[in-house]
Amino acid sequence: MATTKPTRNPAATTEAVKQITYLAAALKAPRITEAATRLADQARDAGWTHEDYLAAVLEREVAARNSSGARLRIRAAGFGAVKTLEDFDFDAQPAARQQIAALASGGFLTEARNVVLLGPPGTGKTHLATALGVAAARHGHRVLFATATDWVTRLTDAHRAGKLPNELARLRRYGLIIVDEVGYLPFEQDAANLFFQLVSSRYEHASLILTSNLPFSGWGGVFGDQAVAAAMIDRIVHHADVLTLKGASYRLRGRGIDSLPSIRTTTGQTES
């Protein structure tokens, strides 16, 4: 015996839509109204159960919220430019492809692990750090991005205002902090100590991504104290994935320049 599709009562439908609109507004989920209206005919024609219809409407709302939330988190992160893994040229860094793909899933964030990207200028460290940050934001994590010098300035301002503990506690609520360009400029002792406190406050609590043009052996010169650098590196790499990028700067491609001066482990010295 064939089943008869329920007939549609326009007046009742109009009243139901009004009620859905009111309830959606009360729930602060206005997109539910659009999804409920758009899917209603499809549900009737396909013979969906009430449960199927409700699940479909709520699924649209959750997807829209996730997309909107990700955009807000990406905008709030402070990226210099938004870059994604899809845009990265892995042909220039084939050894990093598999490891970066694993990191993009965001598992390292739930384990409060760190990521360190080392390598010469122009090898894609900032691009990858940013892209992992974007992926983290899409997974629902709050992210902040700044250069090492900008982080030190921020911590210095908080310290001078007597609010450093509060600032460090607030930053721990971010699932990921990205510190770009460690090593491009040396730090004074006070600045190095503040940076050490940032690293220590996040140790085994929340993740860091750091990029540096120097190997770890050169960080003592950056922070002006081998003991501080050693203690910092110990905390960073205890739970970390360390990737070393190689090759010439992509910015020099096609310009007839084979390489840039490399940096020795002692800052201020270069070699050809």
Side-chain angles (χ1 to χ4, degrees):
M1 181 177 179
T3 58
T4 303
K5 293 181 180 179
T7 58
R8 187 176 179 182
N9 184 328
T13 298
T14 300
E15 189 60 32
V17 169
K18 289 180 180 178
Q19 188 174 12
I20 290 171
T21 301
Y22 167 76
L23 295 172
L27 291 170
K28 294 183 172 58
R31 288 173 294 247
I32 282 181
T33 301
E34 188 274 335
T37 303
R38 180 165 46 85
L39 292 173
D41 288 337
Q42 182 180 349
R44 277 188 288 266
D45 293 341
W48 291 1
T49 65
H50 297 310
E51 292 84 357
D52 290 337
Y53 173 60
L54 178 60
V57 170
L58 295 179
E59 182 181 25
R60 267 52 168 197
E61 172 64 21
V62 170
R65 285 194 180 194
N66 286 343
S67 177
S68 176
R71 286 195 297 271
L72 291 174
R73 287 188 293 272
I74 291 169
R75 193 179 308 147
F79 298 118
V82 175
K83 298 178 183 295
T84 66
L85 294 177
E86 291 76 15
D87 300 330
F88 188 75
D89 180 12
F90 279 102
D91 290 338
Q93 299 293 340
R97 187 190 300 270
Q98 186 173 355
Q99 200 166 2
I100 291 294
L103 292 169
S105 68
F108 74 99
L109 294 163
T110 61
E111 300 173 358
R113 293 180 59 83
N114 301 320
V115 177
V116 184
L117 299 163
L118 305 175
T123 50
K125 302 183 298 299
T126 299
H127 186 139
L128 289 175
T130 300
L132 290 174
V134 169
R138 289 173 176 168
H139 285 303
H141 299 278
R142 297 173 71 198
V143 181
L144 279 178
F145 175 100
T147 65
T149 53
D150 286 341
W151 279 116
V152 166
T153 298
R154 180 172 182 159
L155 296 172
T156 300
D157 291 344
H159 178 64
R160 288 174 177 168
K163 298 179 180 179
L164 182 61
N166 292 338
E167 178 69 0
L168 292 174
R170 191 180 73 83
L171 291 174
R172 273 199 302 274
R173 295 197 287 270
Y174 285 80
L176 176 62
I177 279 179
I178 301 174
V179 183
D180 197 27
E181 299 180 351
V182 175
Y184 281 80
L185 293 172
F187 293 144
E188 295 181 356
Q189 187 66 53
D190 289 345
N193 290 334
L194 288 171
F195 192 80
F196 175 75
Q197 290 188 61
L198 174 64
V199 171
S200 295
S201 71
R202 297 184 66 80
Y203 175 60
E204 296 187 332
H205 289 286
S207 298
L208 287 165
I209 293 179
L210 303 99
T211 74
S212 179
N213 60 319
L214 293 174
F216 289 126
S217 59
W219 285 29
V222 174
F223 294 101
D225 187 309
Q226 293 291 346
V228 170
M232 191 180 311
I233 293 167
D234 180 66
R235 284 163 176 77
I236 291 170
V237 303
H238 183 208
H239 308 292
D241 293 273
V242 180
L243 291 78
T244 301
L245 306 182
K246 300 178 180 179
S249 169
Y250 69 87
R251 302 182 187 95
L252 304 184
R253 293 176 189 172
R255 297 181 180 275
I257 303 173
D258 294 331
S259 64
L260 294 170
S262 61
I263 300 175
R264 295 183 187 271
T265 57
T266 302
T267 58
Q269 292 181 311
T270 61
E271 62 182 9
S272 59

